Structures are given as C-alpha cells and as structure tokens.
Amino acid sequence: MSDDRRRVMVTGIGLMTAIGQGAAPTWENLLEGRSGIGPLRAYDPAPLRTGIGAEIPDFDPTQWASRRTLRMLCRGDQLALAGATLALRDAGLDGESDLGQRAGLFLGSNKEMPRMDELIAQLQAVRAEDGTPDLYKLGQTASSVIAPLFFVEGLQPAAGFHISEKYGIRGANAYFAGTADAGAMAIGRGMRTVRRGEADIVLAGGYDDATGWWAMSKMDGLGVLSTRTDLGQEAFRPFDRDRSGSVFGEGAALLVLEEREHALARGAHCYAEVTGYGAGNDCVRPPSPQARARGLSRAIVRALDDAGGVFHDGGYIAAHGCATVQGDASETLALHDALGTAAKAAQISSIKPQTGHLVGGAGALNAAVTALALDSGIVPATQNLHHPADECDLDYVPLTPRETRPDSALALARGLEGQAVAIAMGRTS
C-alpha cells in the first residue's frame, strides 16, 4: 500500500436493529447473546411458511423526521434516516445542517416498491360488478385512487434525498440496489471516494424493511428462509448441522467514513481503519450459490490486495452466515480458497441469529460489527451453533464471545444475485 494514500477511518456508527437502537445498545446485546427474533406481529403471517422475524420494537419514525417528510418515506427509508442520524450523532456531526460539497452519501438497499396499503384499499373502487379489474374505470378515477406521492415514495434512492436535505450533503453520492451486497458495496465505494480525495467525510451503509409483507412473500417461496417457526430464536443456525435457512430482520447500518487527518483534527474517535475493498460474482443462476463461492473468494483476495497485505493469524471475519445448507458450505470453501492456511487461524462469526438477516443492510451491519470488534477487542459469537457441520470446518466462534484483540478483520456480504463484497479493516494505531 502506498504511504501517500489517504487513510480512511470509521468515526461514527449508526445502527437500528431488533436488539438495539444505536451502536452501543446493539453491541451490548450482541455480546450478551440476546436475540430480536420472534413471531411476526406487524401482520398475519399465516399464508407464509415462515412466521418469525426480527422486527424493531417501539420504532417511532416521528423521532427522526417531520410528519410532512414521513408522508414520502417507506418504512425502510425511515430506518435509513434514523440510522444516518445516529451515525452522524455518534461522529459528533449531527449538529451540522450543511456538511457541504466535501461530504458524500452512499446507500444500498433492496427497496422495490412504495407503501401499498392505501393503494390496495382503493383498488376495490375500480372493479367491475363481476369482480374483474375495470381499467376504463381506473383511467377515469386514477387521480383519486392513486395517492399523489405514491410514485415519489417508491423511488429506490428516496432516503438519499431526505438524508442529504437534512444534513446538507452535497458531494459525491450513489445508490446501490441489491441484497446483502448493496450496503457493503456502498461502504466500499464510499471508502474509495475518501481515499481518492473526492470527499473528506462520507456517510455510507445499507437498510431494509425485510420483515415486511412484500419482502417476506417474495422470499418465502425461494427456499432460503427457515420454516422452523416452532424453534423461535433457535431457528437461525449458521454453520450448524441442523441449519435450515435464514430469518429476516429489519434495520439499518450506516457508517461515517472520514479521512484520518480530518478526523484527528477535530478530535473524533476512530473505531477502525477501512483498508481495502473487493467484489466478485458467482455468475450462476440464483438463488443457489456457486459450489465454491468463487465470487466471494475473489472479493476477499481483492480486498486484501487493496489493503496491501495478507490476513494475519487470529484476525476476525464477520461472515455472511445465511444458514442455508449450500450457502454456509460454499462460504467455508471460499475462505479456504482465499486465505489458505490462514483460514484455520481466523476467528469467524455470524451475528444474524440475533439481529436477523437485514438483506440490503446485512453487509453494512457486518462492517459496523467489524469496526466495533476491532475497537473493543471483543469478537462476537455465532449463537445457536451447537453442532458445527462437518463441511463447516473453521472456527466459527460458537455461543460465547472472545476478548482476543484482533488486529485485522474482514466483513463479508453475499447477494442473492451472486454478487459478493469483502471489506478489509484494521485496528487503529
């Protein structure tokens, strides 16, 4: 790594999860082994095969935005705005209303549509007497059936506008659509923006309302979710021989990425240094992964090459750990292929059994957890890992966190569509 390259630090972490609103409570509950997974309560999940998820209790969107703004925000966007506020607050920047042209914003999510509640209620008005859709009647009454802001709130990068407006972020920006890869890619691209001198501060991460009806109904039939509703909090079992699939969670994870000298000049706390970023693609038809997760392996190699070094023994890896049979087995093989003998010495865990799989926010949450692990010196555990599968033959830190003070770490993310992202980090010095 060139010595004259700008260094990028994590100076703020904003988390909205089922086990905490804020980085500190989420981290505390992670280490204590608490889980936010339980029966879905926002709607009746009876038509679904999966009836559990990690919903955020007592989330009050009016804490984070005016009622006028909330009229244009879906729940996922509301979570993003809350996570952004928490991240900037943690970095000591939430008092700023004009961060300016040297500040950037990079977001990722799996948002696909606006709120459908009002539209569904109104569609009864455009049915013929025999119950079939009457498109002629819809044409006559569309202005009263479809809310004026329906398409505005449905825009995928809507949260980006509202965050930028609130904090005057007028610099480099981008939105990435996808699943777990989306938020991680936003962080990787945000890091490169700071490193290249295009910005001094970047707010980056991901978010998703993955426990909502539309996301659940889409994914329920793909075979990637656990149907073991009867197990409750024990249903999500990454790397375990009895794993049966993921359990979704809602939430947001955003990081403040800041050029090192800029951060030190204002006395900011630096959780970790973001040292590398890499991406790859399995290039196979989803949802089944490539057998050796070649996209993930390539992403890891590229991230470490970008960081300018090898992965040190005892380093931490925030695994994707989606708890599907093929997913966990192929992730293990990818780690072997990318790290060689260093894979056996790595400390690896998945925190998804506690927060749920945040989908568009999952990779960003892994990055946040990685920064917190490097800062605290504590490696979080993989809960529900009672009987490690034979094919998952690495150290997946079962059940109990470890205080081992790792010097380096990787945060991993795999998308349903085959994309993979790896982010390398190091302990601050």
Side-chain angles (χ1 to χ4, degrees), residues 20-37:
Q21 299 188 29
T26 296
W27 184 242
E28 179 182 349
N29 287 328
L30 271 177
L31 298 182
E32 291 182 0
R34 295 173 182 165
S35 173
I37 291 174

Side-chain angles (χ1 to χ4, degrees), residues 50-117:
T50 300
I52 54 177
E55 297 173 312
I56 298 178
D58 305 321
F59 175 66
D60 180 8
T62 61
Q63 282 187 282
W64 313 101
S66 67
R67 294 190 180 277
R68 178 175 178 273
T69 297
L70 290 175
R71 291 178 57 203
M72 295 181 284
L73 293 177
C74 299
R75 184 172 177 87
D77 299 326
Q78 295 170 3
L79 293 169
L81 186 56
T85 302
L86 288 168
L88 290 169
R89 182 179 298 168
D90 188 46
L93 295 169
D94 65 315
E96 300 285 342
S97 60
D98 187 15
L99 290 172
Q101 297 180 7
R102 296 293 300 169
L105 179 64
F106 292 79
L107 298 174
S109 181
N110 191 41
K111 181 180 178 180
E112 292 184 333
M113 60 181 67
R115 287 175 292 187
M116 301 294 290
D117 313 53

Side-chain angles (χ1 to χ4, degrees), residues 175-198:
Y175 173 83
F176 300 92
T179 49
D181 54 293
M185 189 167 291
I187 291 171
R189 293 293 185 180
M191 178 272 286
R192 286 188 176 174
T193 296
V194 176
R195 177 190 284 173
R196 291 170 176 170
E198 298 172 28

Side-chain angles (χ1 to χ4, degrees), residues 27-365:
W27 184 242
E28 179 182 349
N29 287 328
L30 271 177
L31 298 182
E32 291 182 0
R34 295 173 182 165
S35 173
I37 291 174
L40 292 169
R41 303 185 186 280
Y43 54 88
D44 182 3
L48 304 175
R49 296 188 299 173
T50 300
I52 54 177
E55 297 173 312
I56 298 178
D58 305 321
F59 175 66
D60 180 8
T62 61
Q63 282 187 282
W64 313 101
S66 67
R67 294 190 180 277
R68 178 175 178 273
T69 297
L70 290 175
R71 291 178 57 203
M72 295 181 284
L73 293 177
C74 299
R75 184 172 177 87
D77 299 326
Q78 295 170 3
L79 293 169
L81 186 56
T85 302
L86 288 168
L88 290 169
R89 182 179 298 168
D90 188 46
L93 295 169
D94 65 315
E96 300 285 342
S97 60
D98 187 15
L99 290 172
Q101 297 180 7
R102 296 293 300 169
L105 179 64
F106 292 79
L107 298 174
S109 181
N110 191 41
K111 181 180 178 180
E112 292 184 333
M113 60 181 67
R115 287 175 292 187
M116 301 294 290
D117 313 53
E118 294 182 15
L119 179 63
I120 291 172
Q122 293 294 332
L123 285 178
Q124 296 298 324
V126 292
R127 290 192 176 277
E129 292 182 3
D130 62 358
T132 59
D134 188 337
L135 296 181
Y136 184 81
K137 192 173 184 180
L138 175 62
Q140 290 179 314
T141 61
S143 61
S144 60
V145 170
I146 301 175
L149 297 176
F150 179 78
F151 297 107
V152 174
E153 71 180 31
L155 294 172
Q156 283 187 306
F161 163 73
H162 293 284
I163 294 170
S164 295
E165 181 190 42
K166 183 175 181 179
Y167 292 106
I169 300 174
R170 293 180 280 118
N173 62 92
Y175 173 83
F176 300 92
T179 49
D181 54 293
M185 189 167 291
I187 291 171
R189 293 293 185 180
M191 178 272 286
R192 286 188 176 174
T193 296
V194 176
R195 177 190 284 173
R196 291 170 176 170
E198 298 172 28
D200 296 321
I201 296 173
V202 159
L203 183 61
Y207 55 94
D208 217 322
D209 58 340
T211 56
W213 165 256
W214 298 103
M216 287 291 296
S217 62
K218 176 182 71 175
M219 302 298 286
D220 192 62
L222 290 180
V224 297
L225 298 183
S226 173
T227 59
R228 296 299 309 274
T229 296
D230 58 302
L231 294 177
Q233 294 182 354
E234 288 278 332
F236 205 153
R237 300 183 175 192
F239 309 110
D240 192 272
R241 72 185 184 194
D242 298 321
R243 62 192 186 277
S244 59
S246 292
V247 178
F248 279 175
E250 62 176 349
L254 283 90
L255 305 182
V256 175
L257 307 176
E258 190 168 353
E259 192 274 326
R260 183 175 182 271
E261 297 306 316
H262 188 279
L264 294 178
R266 66 181 190 87
H269 172 68
C270 297
Y271 287 93
E273 179 175 1
V274 186
T275 56
Y277 157 71
N281 201 308
D282 281 351
C283 287
V284 296
R285 187 180 300 276
S288 297
Q290 197 270 340
R292 300 195 74 90
R294 59 191 174 196
L296 179 62
S297 176
R298 192 171 295 115
I300 293 169
V301 170
R302 288 175 174 170
L304 292 176
D305 182 64
D306 191 35
V310 297
F311 192 73
H312 299 291
D313 287 353
Y316 173 59
I317 300 175
H320 182 64
C322 64
T324 64
V325 173
Q326 291 178 307
D328 288 359
S330 61
E331 183 170 6
T332 302
L333 288 173
L335 289 167
H336 278 292
D337 291 345
L339 301 177
T341 57
K344 283 288 188 180
Q347 303 177 91
I348 312 163
S349 67
S350 171
I351 51 88
K352 288 182 175 65
Q354 297 175 257
T355 63
H357 188 325
L358 267 56
V359 190
L365 178 58

